[in-house]
């Protein structure tokens, strides 16, 4: 299939490379030139302007946040220059409100809009094992499924309103952030009584909490290994803030979300914005006078 792809950050680069490997013809654009040149070496075409990508049959975007997507899709005219019948698949974690706005803007232009945010970090994307949450008009979803299969372990359909996929994605990241917060507090408690954090996490993640989130992030916390950041604190704060906003819009209190938001803010104030968001566990240690 002819696919336009915008946004070749850690996630986008891995996904686009898998699409090329699966035999699709990609035309790619990224704000900074380096990643597009890397993809060109794999066989993709590098576009001179983001608008050029919207002449394909399907456009995929994996931009950092609402602001980046607004800037590229709307202000730089990508949607205005889109070919008739285009399906746009937005893989990024954006706000529920923006997902609703995007659905409307696409409808007005006769472009199909599919939200397909993903669970899985960059290494999971490289292995083509992402869990893809997908929502949008069913005919558009069916058309893009063969593309999603090129990088998905499993595709989870969530109905025809795109924002539903974003709600599930934000709920998931809120739960990961909460797990990071509780692991940080539990490690601080153990350390205050002379028990190594690594030992506590080894016991808990082998027994009561033997699941991917606790085991994967527990290892990072036990080893205090927060660089290189697969998902930085600044993006984690974005997602918890988006979950709180979505809750507020629907009158859903999320008191624990507010606690976690403040811990992420505190990590940023301590100069840790670009560390992996598992570093938020250190906030609880500092509160307890520990390092
Ligand atoms: P990233 O490595 O920081 O990449 C961000 C991408 O957005 C880059 O291509 C960047 O371009 C582009 N960008 C940022 N601001 C822009 C602007 N104003 N105009 C144009 N382009 C702009 O982030 P990532 O980890 O790939 O994450 C991308 C999305 O996936 C986010 O929504 C994130 O929440 C979500 N996600 C991430 C993970 C993860 O573990 N990392 C997992 C699941 C979902 P430049 O290269 O020029 O900076």
């Amino acid at each position: 299939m002819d696919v336009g792809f915008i946004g070749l950050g850690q996630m986008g680069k891995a996904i686009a490379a898998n699409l090329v490997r699966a035999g699709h013809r990609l035309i790619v654009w990224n704000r900074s030139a380096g990643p597009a040149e890397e993809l060109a070496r794999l066989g993709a075409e590098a576009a001179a302007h983001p608008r050029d990508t919207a002449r394909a049959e399907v456009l995929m975007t994996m931009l950092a946040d609402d602001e980046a997507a607004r800037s590229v899709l709307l202000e730089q005219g990508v949607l205005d220059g889109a070919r008739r019948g285009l399906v746009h698949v937005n893989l990024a974690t954006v706000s529920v409100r923006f997902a609703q706005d995007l659905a409307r803007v696409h409808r007005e232009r006769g472009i199909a809009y599919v939200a397909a945010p993903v669970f899985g970090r960059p290494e999971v994307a490289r292995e083509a094992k992402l869990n893809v949450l997908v929502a949008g008009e069913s005919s558009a979803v069916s058309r893009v499924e063969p593309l999603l299969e090129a990088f998905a372990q499993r595709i989870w359909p969530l109905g025809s309103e795109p924002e539903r996929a974003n709600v599930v994605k934000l709920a998931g990241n809120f739960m990961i952030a909460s797990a990071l917060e509780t692991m940080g507090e539990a490690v601080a408690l153990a350390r205050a009584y002379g028990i190594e954090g690594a030992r506590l996490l080894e016991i808990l993640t082998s027994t009561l909490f033997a699941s991917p989130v606790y085991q994967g992030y527990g290892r990072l916390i036990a080893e205090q290994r927060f660089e290189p950041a697969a998902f930085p604190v600044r993006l984690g704060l974005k997602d918890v803030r988006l979950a709180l906003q979505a809750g507020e819009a629907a009158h859903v209190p999320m008191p624990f979300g507010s606690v976690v938001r403040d811990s992420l803010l505190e990590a940023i104030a301590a100069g840790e914005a670009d560390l992996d968001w598992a570093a938020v566990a250190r906030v609880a240690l500092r509160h307890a006078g520990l390092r």
Side-chain angles (χ1 to χ4, degrees):
M1 216 179 280
D2 285 317
V3 184
F5 201 107
I6 296 179
L8 301 168
Q10 296 201 77
M11 294 295 288
K13 205 161 43 174
I15 292 170
N18 278 321
L19 287 164
V20 172
R21 267 181 223 115
H24 299 289
R25 291 173 299 277
L26 259 69
I27 173 160
V28 300
W29 184 86
N30 192 64
R31 179 180 58 179
S32 51
E37 288 160 10
E38 271 181 59
L39 256 291
R41 283 195 286 277
L42 295 181
E45 181 187 341
H49 191 280
R51 267 196 308 267
D52 301 339
T53 61
R55 298 195 187 108
E57 298 165 78
V58 174
L59 169 65
M60 291 205 166
T61 55
M62 190 42 143
L63 291 157
D65 51 24
D66 291 16
E67 288 67 37
R70 189 173 288 113
S71 157
V72 177
L73 295 170
L74 303 177
E75 288 156 20
Q76 296 184 53
V78 169
L79 294 187
D80 287 334
R83 119 185 193 163
R84 278 182 78 84
L86 178 80
V87 182
H88 173 206
V89 182
N90 188 352
L91 302 161
T93 309
V94 297
S95 71
V96 170
R97 176 69 192 273
F98 187 51
Q100 290 167 328
D101 288 350
L102 278 179
R104 180 181 44 77
V105 165
H106 282 73
R107 230 178 358 258
E108 286 165 3
R109 288 167 171 73
I111 306 167
Y113 180 63
V114 173
V118 300
F119 283 131
R121 291 157 62 95
E123 70 270 18
V124 180
R126 283 191 285 275
E127 289 162 10
K129 288 193 175 149
L130 293 170
N131 277 289
V132 184
L133 312 163
V134 65
E137 200 195 304
S138 62
S139 58
V141 171
S142 306
R143 265 185 68 195
V144 301
E145 250 165 17
L147 297 175
L148 303 182
E149 276 159 11
F151 53 86
Q153 169 175 170
R154 183 158 172 189
I155 298 167
W156 300 87
L158 285 155
S160 59
E161 284 123 47
E163 73 272 14
R164 292 165 60 104
N166 299 100
V167 170
V168 175
K169 171 66 193 174
L170 294 176
N173 274 18
F174 158 70
M175 289 180 67
I176 298 173
S178 305
L180 297 175
E181 174 75 27
T182 59
M183 280 193 276
E185 292 184 21
V187 166
L189 177 65
R191 290 266 312 275
Y193 285 89
I195 301 150
E196 280 304 316
R199 182 66 175 152
L200 173 89
L201 290 168
E202 183 194 1
I203 295 168
L204 291 177
T205 62
S206 310
T207 55
L208 304 179
F209 295 94
S211 75
V213 162
Y214 285 100
Q215 288 175 335
Y217 284 108
R219 213 169 299 123
L220 297 186
I221 293 169
E223 294 168 12
Q224 298 277 302
R225 184 159 45 86
F226 306 125
E227 285 174 294
F231 187 68
V233 170
R234 63 184 161 75
L235 285 183
L237 175 62
K238 167 197 70 131
D239 289 357
V240 172
R241 197 188 279 136
L242 296 184
L244 286 166
Q245 282 168 6
E248 186 171 339
H251 307 142
V252 178
M254 298 177 76
F256 209 72
S258 304
V259 170
V260 176
R261 188 256 327 270
D262 281 352
S263 290
L264 288 161
L265 265 181
E266 207 175 315
I268 288 176
E272 298 176 337
D274 291 319
L275 295 187
D276 195 277
W277 70 330
V280 77
R282 290 215 292 225
V283 171
L285 285 181
R286 287 197 288 267
H287 287 171
L290 299 161
R291 282 278 170 270

